[in-house]
Amino acid sequence: MSGAERLGISAVIPAYNEAESLPELVRELGSALGALGRSWEILIVDDGSRDGTDRVIADLAAADRRVRGVSLRQNFGKSAALATAFRLVRGEWVLTLDGDLQDDPAELPKLVEALEHGLDLVSGWKQARKDPITKTVPSRLFNSVTSWVAGLRLHDFNCGYKLYRREVTESLEIYGELHRFVPALAHWRGFRVGEVPVRHRARRFGRS
């Protein structure tokens, strides 16, 4: 397949020290993508990992031509990883999810249904979040303030589990910590933004 050909959906995984999680995540995600009946790819961005994540990505790509990987020279952060992926994806729709297995690929049909019903960007809402209170309390405050400032009522702006129409990813310039505000940035550009509740799983390997 040439790089110029469009696919149905590109799944993007920013990964930092996720060597243990990625094989299972790619297996689950491939199954969920295959069930959609669209052509697909998985693009993993290694954000300067030091645990052999790059080798795991190479093995996964060798086993399935629909899996691709790119490695950044050092740990630039999630915004840089997403910006890199958004330049490289070939899908008409772009899915993002974290590499730690906390985002459940089985929830993908919920995001797809929301896009099919007219949204341009649908964000997951970790309604029952499996994280310590040191993360959940600041997150609630962040979401409350951001909702007020953005003029967009969402429960979970910073959830990594999102599905975009390609024109949204092409219009966004993400750097620094702007990945936390993607729904607000898209809303301000006139895109239709919403959210759906998604299952959130406890971290199985490593640490956040």
Side-chain angles (χ1 to χ4, degrees), residues 81-104:
L82 289 175
T84 298
F86 289 168
R87 290 194 299 269
L88 297 174
V89 291
R90 295 176 291 183
E92 295 291 348
W93 290 359
V94 180
L95 173 72
T96 62
L97 71 168
D98 292 337
D100 55 14
L101 281 171
Q102 290 193 261
D103 295 329
D104 187 351

Side-chain angles (χ1 to χ4, degrees), residues 58-75:
D59 290 342
L60 292 168
D64 190 332
R65 64 181 180 84
R66 294 168 295 186
V67 179
R68 296 192 291 148
V70 59
S71 292
L72 304 184
R73 294 189 308 276
Q74 63 185 61
N75 181 220

